[in-house]
Amino acid sequence: MTERVLIAGAGQVGVFAAKELGDAGHEVWVADKAPAPGFFARYGGTSPERLFKLDLAHSTAVAAAARQHRIGTAVLAFRSPAMPAEHGQGNGADVCPVTLCGRALIAAGVSRLILISSFAVYGRNNHSRLRETDAPAPETPYGQAKLRAEGSLISEAGDGVELIILRPCGIYGPIRVNGGSHSARLIDMLLFAAARDKPVTLEWAPGDEDEYIYVKDVARAVRECVEHRRGSGLNIYNVGAGAKVSAPMLREAVRSLFPDAPILLRGGLKQRPRLPLLDSSKIACDLEFRPQFPLVEGLRDQARLTGLV
């Protein structure tokens, strides 16, 4: 069944979700306070007129847009500013628009909200896998902001509203200028440097590993949520890759595309507490979702899309 979907946020996830949903035959509109038409035209895969400028914290305007397009499902994929983690950007700028936007959408009759959150809400613990039932304990301002955004929507969503929260691991793929998460910017930098034979040094500590998922897999998880209505209530899903990647493994993955990439590894960093893998069995069971892009294939696709190969 064709769904009428509004995506709030024309960043990396929002734009790729628009393409995934559009290719599946759904009616999709994308709103952003500062849209990037070039990025949308290159990766969004749908008509340029479906992208429009909208202050997502302006309740009246958001509700009017939802009513105008008769939206049934809204995806809240607010862009993350490209700032060093220690600056704590997003610690409030992220929460207020989510609350106001979600409240306006519900008032306009939208019956399902899908929030793109983050695994950063968990923090680090001694479990072998991070499950949706684990108590959140975010250690960064970014994770704290995401958790508050989750809580605000849970409070706003009442009877008759379905709320789905996706908690992906580190997302990579093509990004807007000055956009993207830490993971996305790191991998984008490595690919562009490798394509230009520019030396890069990665600092790391033995045993320090991260979990990365390609943006097209996250977009497909969004589509699965859109296409599987479960009535009302709350569902939280981890969206993980199922494997950890160390700095040497990441270098080898980049070198599978650019064999002579001058990526140097420098040890000496203090080892961080180990972050467990995400347990993504719930989304696999409920929605039959499993990631399709191993790291090398995701890097290959990103390099192709960005014109590096």
Side-chain angles (χ1 to χ4, degrees):
M1 185 173 112
T2 300
E3 294 281 347
R4 300 177 71 84
V5 183
L6 174 65
I7 298 177
Q12 181 189 49
V13 174
V15 167
F16 276 87
K19 175 170 175 54
E20 179 74 21
L21 290 167
D23 288 351
H26 300 288
E27 296 286 337
V28 184
W29 290 265
V30 183
D32 196 285
K33 187 175 182 179
F39 186 78
F40 185 78
R42 186 167 188 176
Y43 303 114
T46 190
S47 303
E49 61 268 19
R50 294 298 180 101
L51 174 69
F52 61 97
K53 185 174 182 177
L54 180 67
D55 183 349
L56 297 172
H58 193 296
S59 299
T60 302
V62 170
R67 292 190 181 102
Q68 176 187 350
H69 299 298
R70 305 191 310 278
I71 298 301
T73 297
V75 180
L76 281 70
F78 283 65
R79 291 186 289 117
S80 299
M83 291 291 289
E86 62 267 24
H87 289 185
Q89 189 89 12
N91 185 18
D94 190 46
V95 177
C96 181
V98 169
T99 305
L100 297 175
C101 184
R103 183 181 301 157
L105 291 166
I106 292 169
V110 175
S111 60
R112 178 172 48 183
L113 302 179
I114 300 171
L115 173 67
I116 310 300
S117 185
S118 170
F119 75 146
V121 302
Y122 289 114
R124 301 174 188 276
N125 59 45
N126 294 323
H127 297 177
S128 59
R129 296 261 179 166
L130 289 170
R131 296 177 173 84
E132 292 88 348
T133 54
D134 288 341
E139 300 173 347
T140 65
Y142 175 78
Q144 292 160 8
K146 287 295 185 182
L147 184 60
R148 285 198 299 274
E150 290 185 9
S152 70
L153 281 189
I154 291 171
S155 298
E156 294 292 335
D159 294 339
V161 176
E162 180 182 5
L163 174 60
I164 300 173
I165 297 174
L166 298 182
R167 293 173 174 170
C169 59
I171 303 170
Y172 69 97
I175 56 176
R176 287 179 53 161
V177 175
N178 295 324
S181 65
H182 171 77
S183 301
R185 298 195 307 275
L186 170 65
I187 290 178
D188 187 71
M189 177 271 294
L190 289 175
L191 287 176
F192 273 84
R196 292 163 173 74
D197 291 324
K198 181 180 177 180
V200 173
T201 299
L202 284 180
E203 295 186 339
W204 71 297
D208 199 1
E209 300 174 327
D210 291 297
E211 188 175 3
Y212 301 113
I213 190 165
Y214 190 43
V215 65
K216 284 188 176 181
D217 277 326
V218 179
R220 192 165 54 82
V222 172
R223 177 175 62 78
E224 294 293 350
C225 291
V226 167
E227 294 178 347
H228 288 77
R229 276 199 175 271
R230 303 177 66 85
S232 60
L234 170 66
N235 275 290
I236 299 175
Y237 293 115
N238 290 336
V239 187
K244 284 298 193 70
V245 177
S246 65
M249 293 166 65
L250 182 56
R251 178 175 66 175
E252 291 312 304
V254 173
R255 284 180 172 174
S256 70
L257 304 179
F258 304 100
D260 299 323
I263 301 174
L264 306 176
L265 300 179
R266 183 167 66 197
L269 285 184
K270 183 180 179 180
Q271 186 172 350
R272 298 177 295 171
R274 186 178 180 85
L275 183 65
L277 276 171
L278 285 178
D279 183 339
S280 299
S281 58
K282 182 181 177 185
I283 195 170
C285 179
D286 287 2
L287 306 182
E288 299 182 353
F289 169 82
R290 292 173 179 80
Q292 295 181 343
F293 286 87
L295 180 61
V296 171
E297 294 309 312
L299 295 181
R300 191 184 312 279
D301 192 66
Q302 179 173 347
R304 177 185 62 81
L305 290 176
T306 53
L308 297 179
V309 294

